[in-house]
Amino acid sequence: QVQLVESGGGLVQAGGSLRLSCAASGRTFSSYGLGWFRQAPGKEREFVGGISRNGDNMYYEDSVKGRFTISRDNAKSTVDLQMNSLKPEDTAIYYCAARLARSGSVSIYSEAYDFWGQGTQVTVST
């Protein structure tokens, strides 16, 4: 069982930056692949980016490539999402998620993830 708690959301102007953090409980954090998803009002939840168990494989949704960076610290059981050059269309609730992974792959599918945080709101103003 893994419990995930996100933090770091808030209101930022377009072009600004935010860093989201997700802290996990449990002693087997390094066994989990991690992902960030987001859901905007009236839209389905979508994949933002993911990172493999040992952090050597990352994958990003096209619209955030070059702007967002995922990193993890297995010693601290945390995963961060650094978001730069934010746009109003990045406004959403952001969720971190964990999946028990047997390989170093990254999944873009929400159904593949077993545990979810409660979400943190990110609002980007014009």
Side-chain angles (χ1 to χ4, degrees):
Q1 191 79 7
V2 175
Q3 291 186 325
L4 303 170
V5 179
E6 302 97 336
S7 61
L11 174 65
V12 64
Q13 286 189 329
S17 298
L18 278 177
R19 187 176 184 90
L20 305 184
S21 185
C22 177
S25 65
R27 293 175 289 180
T28 57
F29 184 73
S30 60
S31 298
Y32 291 86
L34 302 167
W36 284 95
F37 291 77
R38 66 186 180 187
Q39 187 167 19
K43 295 188 176 181
E44 293 186 353
R45 188 173 298 187
E46 66 173 0
F47 174 79
V48 174
I51 188 167
S52 59
R53 293 186 308 173
N54 60 6
D56 63 352
N57 187 18
M58 284 82 77
Y59 188 80
Y60 300 92
E61 192 268 332
D62 285 346
S63 69
V64 308
K65 284 180 181 176
R67 300 189 298 123
F68 291 11
T69 303
I70 294 175
S71 60
R72 67 184 294 165
D73 186 332
N74 284 347
K76 296 181 179 179
S77 297
T78 58
V79 57
D80 291 348
L81 180 68
Q82 177 66 42
M83 305 185 295
N84 299 327
S85 302
L86 282 161
K87 304 175 181 179
E89 51 263 44
D90 294 319
T91 295
I93 299 174
Y94 283 71
Y95 301 88
C96 73
R99 57 186 285 264
L100 192 61
R102 296 184 178 181
S103 69
S105 63
V106 175
S107 177
I108 66 172
Y109 302 106
S110 61
E111 309 86 76
Y113 290 81
D114 305 300
F115 305 101
W116 293 81
Q118 82 289 349
T120 186
Q121 177 71 47
V122 171
T123 303
V124 184
S125 64
T126 56

